Amino acid sequence: MFHNYKFKNLDIKLIIAVIALTIIGIFVIGSANEANQQKQILGMILGIFVMTAMAIIDYDFLLHFHWVYYGLVIVLLVSVLLFGHESGGATRWIEIVGIRFQPSELSKILLILFFSWFFMIYEEDINKPKIIAITLILSAVPLFLIEEEPDLSTTIVTMMIICVMIFVTGISYKLVGAVLGVSIPSIIVLLILVSREGQTILDEYQGMRILAWLRPEEYPSSSYQQQNSIMAIGSGQLFGKGLGNEAFDSVKNGNYISEPHTDFIFAVAGEELGFLGSVLIIALIFFITIEILLIAKRAKDISGKLICVGMASLIGFQSFVNICVVTGLMPNTGLPLPFVSYGLTSLVTVYFGIGIVLNVGLQSKNNNGRLF
């Protein structure tokens, strides 16, 4: 369970970047919704404890409980559908012994652990039809349960994480090309179909978000959130209006952005910290993602590499989607910005994942790995 680690391999740069990004998030959350700032500080403290604990537990030991993780994911996601709390037309939260949390956030980390073990065991057979079929079935069950909440954005991000992990394991390039050849035209056709009024492919609110994104002038009541977000970011200009400002022309102060401390926290950062502050947040996210991939490059085995790749995919994809939504480049999805958005479940679980990544780094086969 524990090893005599070489603590010279501990990635201090990654720890500093994670904590720095979280602190920036705490300040922006305090400006957006002061009532939640103290909770986010407690979340960071708890997250640091969790990260420290996971960093010293051998990830090989953790992988022994692979089926427990998968079973727990299914139980939690089914519990959401049966006993979850509804909010905004979606059921994504459950309460256990007085603690309310979002199982889909924890599920992403647990699935990374499970598939790291699964792909390690079947690395040599990853291109066999039987293993591909089993992978599809094992992936489809949790993805279906998440989509049923409904939470299409988390479903897509989780699917992308699994796809990247199986690609790194060594899936055939021919198979990848065939999948892309079918998927890309299918996505284009799907977008055309769901952009029509009265479509039945997606839930009504999901279809409306796409319509509002494509034709915001025709659906002002559904597109105002993104349009106001773009306005807020633009109004920040180079240096921003300052945290906690009382400017009369502030989009945030005028309550033109609903729930600004969660999914649209980047809009508040853009308005109050300006272009430079926004670039700093993006740079820290990019640095964290690359640093995790460097640890993956130095990992002693394929399971450690897959854990890191999974976490890098989670942080990278989710950040990309969140920022694209806030800037109007993608339809509104409802994903938090890792380390920055308010949400104790999201914050603590991502610290949990970072702790496991640090343990992979402590067991590196060398200390001179390069990404390329």
Side-chain angles (χ1 to χ4, degrees), residues 108-126:
K108 285 181 282 192
I109 308 296
L110 296 181
L111 287 174
I112 287 172
L113 289 174
F114 172 77
F115 280 108
S116 294
W117 166 82
F118 182 82
F119 293 144
M120 173 189 68
I121 295 298
Y122 296 105
E123 180 184 6
E124 298 299 324
D125 302 318
I126 196 65

Side-chain angles (χ1 to χ4, degrees), residues 73 76-82 84-94 101-105 107 142-152 154-155 203 205-206:
V73 167
L76 287 174
L77 294 176
V78 170
S79 298
V80 171
L81 299 179
L82 296 177
H85 299 278
E86 183 176 344
S87 177
T91 305
R92 301 175 184 175
W93 302 83
I94 59 173
F101 71 103
Q102 192 172 354
S104 60
E105 292 295 325
S107 295
L143 291 174
F144 172 77
L145 292 172
I146 295 173
E147 200 282 329
E148 283 297 297
E149 294 182 2
D151 192 350
L152 183 60
T154 299
T155 304
D203 289 341
Y205 85 95
Q206 294 172 333

